[in-house]
Amino acid sequence: MNKEWWKEAIVYQIYPRSFSDSNGDGIGDIPGIISKLDYISSLGVNVIWLSPVYASPNEDNGYDISDYYSIHPDFGTMADFDSLVAEADKRGIKIIMDLVINHTSSEHEWFQKSRRGIEPYKDYYYWSDSWPGTPNNWTGFFGGGTWEYDEERKASYLHLFAPHQPDLNYHNPLVWEDIGKILKFWLEKGVKGFRCDVINILYKDSLENGKKKPILTGSEHYLTLDGTHEILKKINQILSPYDAFTVGETVFVDIEDAKLLTYPERKELNMVFSFQHMEVDQIMVKWFKRKFSWKRFVSVMDKWQRGLAWNTVYLENHDQPRSVSRFGSREYHGESAKLLGTLLLTLKGTPFIFQGEEIGMTNFDFTSMDEIQDVESKNIYAILSKLNIPKGTKWNMIKKTFRDNARTPMQWNGRDGAGFTTGIPWLGINGNKYEINVEKEEGDKDSILSYYRALISFRKEHDDLVYGDYELIRNDKWVTEYRRGALYIVLNHSNKEIRREREGEILLSSEKNRKNGFLKPWEALMERR
Ligand code: ISL
Ligand code: CA
């Protein structure tokens, strides 16, 4: 396999609003991130992916950009950003940005001019007065319709996400030219790549009605089409002189799509985030939960491990509930968090750790909708209310799935504000900050945090965990076993102690009091046979 720096990288995702607040306004910011670079570096990671820090009205927390060339004042200044890049570089850490180019904010200058019919922006978006067959019957990612009427233009525009996130029209070559300039601007600042938001839906081939479906009616007109592949090739060309990399957030892709998106000879993306392993506890849409099964979970990941030359490996991000609450055990919180960390850092692909995952942060313990900020949860709650779904059911559907689960402030210590802020945090802090926090885990050599550090340095010493081949050996309700090169990884994801028939040379175990010939509940180990 070809060696590449981004295959050897371990990425740490920061959700800036919730990471570290330097000035007490309750919102995390760039100086806050800079103050934590030594911590990040102590984990052993070498890339930071920053969720959006651009100017934005924050209807979708920065995924609605109003100016791609400036930093949101809540987060600091461009000078702060430049010093983040420089300070990270001193520690051997590269910064990658979030690239949100399927849509802009409706407050973006392009949209403001577009709605007034001002050239050259008139056709930067999909307007019903310039596209036949519109508005159509498409349904959106946050539930509900995808067309919003605009008084100013006296026409409707397409938005696959919230109404204040109008989709850009990639049939217009000027749009691409502007996007290309944005990429260069950030690359020149020393950014080493992009996480490309919903990148496989950029190009819409027509705006005809879609086939009626329970979710995303119309998606056959935009999911992973040739027009998108063409744009990705252009993005790739811009990046190639910079030794930067791209990871696409790609919705509803299968392995065949992912191959087309990532195979090196096609020169598109370097890797993609697929969602199939995140869907194993869902029935069709994420709000309908089914029982989680490790066997099904591992089968899905195994299919991707075998199917694709290079994967991403992730169990969390800012859109997903916390992995320990979802796939782990309440009884064995620490043990299961360590086991999940082992899975994350030993499968074949670039691992992405989401802030707080390394200390075992859990889902938000909120008790009412008033404590929720996320636009998606609010929309869905309103839709469920219209459908007369009983309160308890509605509550459960939202609670297990809503995105704020991952967005509560980072728990640095157990004091007021959790070391995140000296002010009032923008989103509630989890009540378990006393037990789960960085300060406490720093002082404990058996903590989840200490184990993550051990795991990461182990990975750095064992090339097999990066470039070694992969083979699944056992996948049942209790135990998963796989091989990476000459290393065997064994995970007991059950509350039972399990006897082993034979045991190799144990190189690393998550269990401080391990028992020879047995796997303790939720024990994870690596061995040579
Ligand atoms: O969040 C989801 C499931 O809960 C997805 O449907 C999500 O909306 C989809 O993966 C796209 O996500 C990305 O683009 C959105 C933004 O809200 C998300 O935060 C971002 O990760 C729109 O830009
Ligand atoms: Ca702040």
Side-chain angles (χ1 to χ4, degrees):
M1 194 189 306
N2 282 347
K3 296 205 165 183
E4 302 283 358
W5 72 263
W6 41 263
K7 291 183 179 165
E8 291 162 32
I10 299 173
V11 185
Y12 189 76
Q13 182 192 351
I14 292 184
Y15 195 68
R17 283 184 86 73
S18 302
F19 193 61
S20 177
D21 172 22
S22 70
N23 61 353
D25 65 357
I27 300 172
D29 45 52
I30 296 173
I33 299 174
I34 296 174
S35 74
K36 298 296 184 188
L37 280 174
D38 285 334
Y39 168 77
I40 297 168
S41 148
S42 78
L43 297 172
V45 304
N46 37 24
V47 176
I48 291 173
W49 151 26
L50 278 187
S51 272
V53 289
Y54 314 90
S56 161
N58 277 332
E59 300 278 355
D60 188 16
N61 287 351
Y63 285 89
D64 48 327
I65 299 173
S66 53
D67 180 0
Y68 291 89
Y69 296 102
S70 67
I71 299 292
H72 195 298
D74 283 352
F75 295 135
T77 61
M78 193 59 88
D80 292 329
F81 181 83
D82 291 336
S83 64
L84 172 63
V85 173
E87 287 298 317
D89 187 58
K90 281 185 198 157
R91 294 162 177 86
I93 297 174
K94 300 175 165 56
I95 304 285
I96 72 163
M97 300 282 278
D98 218 306
L99 184 72
V100 189
I101 56 171
N102 173 68
H103 43 269
T104 67
S105 160
S106 51
E107 290 184 17
H108 195 289
E109 189 197 341
W110 301 339
F111 187 79
Q112 288 303 323
K113 292 196 165 149
S114 191
R115 64 199 289 227
R116 296 192 183 98
I118 300 175
E119 293 295 5
Y121 302 105
K122 189 164 170 273
D123 290 323
Y124 262 48
Y125 300 85
Y126 294 104
W127 287 100
S128 59
D129 61 357
S130 35
W131 285 83
T134 54
N136 55 29
N137 67 349
W138 296 8
T139 56
F141 281 79
F142 292 157
T146 57
W147 291 89
E148 183 80 359
Y149 184 73
D150 183 64
E151 276 299 337
E152 187 106 24
R153 175 130 168 185
K154 306 264 183 283
S156 306
Y157 61 88
L158 175 73
H159 61 89
L160 291 180
F161 292 88
H164 49 263
Q165 292 168 304
D167 283 51
L168 283 165
N169 169 15
Y170 281 89
H171 292 258
N172 182 344
L174 297 178
V175 168
W176 162 251
E177 269 176 39
D178 261 322
I179 298 295
K181 284 183 201 150
I182 293 166
L183 289 167
K184 283 196 194 125
F185 175 82
W186 291 99
L187 289 163
E188 285 298 321
K189 282 196 168 289
V191 158
K192 286 293 174 207
F194 299 95
R195 174 269 187 188
C196 311
D197 193 62
V198 290
I199 202 71
N200 64 318
I201 69 171
L202 292 189
Y203 187 83
K204 284 81 180 169
D205 68 353
S206 88
L207 300 187
E208 303 289 307
N209 278 335
K211 240 188 281 135
K212 279 235 166 59
K213 282 187 289 202
I215 49 161
L216 295 183
T217 293
S219 59
E220 67 273 28
H221 292 303
Y222 57 77
L223 282 181
T224 329
L225 304 180
D226 285 346
T228 290
H229 288 297
E230 292 312 312
I231 301 164
L232 291 175
K233 289 188 201 306
K234 291 188 198 161
I235 292 182
N236 189 298
Q237 271 169 21
I238 292 190
L239 263 72
S240 61
Y242 293 92
D243 197 24
F245 88 103
T246 50
V247 49
E249 187 210 25
T250 48
V251 288
F252 301 100
V253 291
D254 58 22
I255 292 174
E256 292 313 309
D257 298 322
K259 285 183 183 166
L260 294 179
L261 291 162
T262 59
Y263 271 17
E265 61 276 15
R266 293 178 49 90
K267 297 198 168 32
E268 296 189 14
L269 296 164
N270 295 118
M271 52 185 123
V272 298
F273 290 127
S274 74
F275 282 84
Q276 292 186 342
H277 67 302
M278 289 283 118
E279 289 159 3
V280 291
D281 58 354
Q282 304 167 4
I283 307 169
M284 195 125 60
V285 288
K286 67 176 203 172
W287 299 280
F288 292 99
K289 283 281 164 199
R290 64 170 162 176
K291 205 170 171 313
F292 171 71
S293 134
W294 265 93
K295 194 168 173 204
R296 205 172 330 122
F297 188 46
V298 171
S299 308
V300 172
M301 286 187 286
D302 171 60
K303 193 178 77 182
W304 283 80
Q305 289 280 304
R306 285 183 290 109
L308 207 59
W310 194 254
N311 277 280
T312 59
V313 189
Y314 77 95
L315 302 173
E316 291 185 12
N317 62 38
H318 64 290
D319 291 333
Q320 300 290 336
R322 289 288 185 177
S323 60
V324 69
S325 303
R326 190 172 175 189
F327 314 128
S329 153
R330 200 183 282 261
E331 232 180 309
Y332 291 96
H333 167 263
E335 289 83 351
S336 56
K338 290 177 189 174
L339 178 136
L340 290 164
T342 314
L343 180 68
L344 179 63
L345 286 147
T346 61
L347 284 174
K348 190 178 70 182
T350 303
F352 287 73
I353 302 169
F354 179 66
Q355 66 181 48
E357 191 173 9
E358 78 281 16
I359 57 168
M361 278 179 63
T362 65
N363 278 351
F364 191 12
D365 55 349
F366 81 121
T367 52
S368 94
M369 270 315 273
D370 302 339
E371 295 168 62
I372 297 302
Q373 300 274 355
D374 181 28
V375 55
E376 181 191 62
S377 309
K378 287 182 186 167
N379 273 353
I380 299 299
Y381 194 80
I383 292 171
L384 296 175
S385 300
K386 274 193 213 138
L387 296 175
N388 287 325
I389 306 250
K391 194 157 188 235
T393 318
K394 192 163 60 184
W395 186 245
N396 264 328
M397 289 168 82
I398 293 282
K399 185 154 174 126
K400 287 215 172 79
T401 57
F402 74 118
R403 306 192 297 182
D404 284 351
N405 277 318
R407 300 179 182 182
T408 59
M410 180 73 182
Q411 291 160 213
W412 295 101
N413 62 42
R415 295 186 285 283
D416 273 359
F420 161 72
T421 183
T422 53
I424 300 162
W426 73 278
L427 181 67
I429 292 170
N430 199 308
N432 61 22
K433 67 175 181 199
Y434 305 102
E435 298 85 51
I436 302 173
N437 67 62
V438 172
E439 189 179 277
K440 189 165 170 223
E441 297 194 24
E442 286 282 4
D444 173 3
K445 66 175 181 14
D446 297 316
S447 64
I448 304 167
L449 177 59
S450 300
Y451 180 69
Y452 260 80
R453 289 191 176 125
L455 208 51
I456 290 172
S457 49
F458 186 88
R459 185 183 162 97
K460 289 188 175 157
E461 287 155 17
H462 293 84
D463 232 25
D464 274 356
L465 290 179
V466 180
Y467 295 111
D469 60 336
Y470 158 92
E471 181 194 9
L472 183 65
I473 294 167
R474 176 172 173 185
N475 172 21
D476 58 41
K477 199 168 157 188
W478 301 277
V479 176
T480 298
E481 256 184 68
Y482 49 93
R483 181 181 60 77
R484 293 297 317 284
L487 300 177
Y488 290 79
I489 293 97
V490 186
L491 311 173
N492 173 14
H493 35 69
S494 82
N495 291 354
K496 286 198 320 185
E497 186 169 278
I498 287 176
R499 178 189 280 283
R500 310 189 70 201
E501 278 163 23
R502 58 194 158 82
E503 203 157 72
E505 176 201 353
I506 311 283
L507 303 176
L508 187 74
S509 164
S510 61
E511 188 51 61
K512 63 171 180 213
N513 302 313
R514 79 170 312 273
K515 192 162 145 194
N516 288 339
F518 290 87
L519 292 168
K520 288 261 183 109
W522 292 89
E523 178 173 357
L525 58 80
M526 279 182 259
E527 66 182 7
R528 226 191 302 267
R529 292 182 181 164

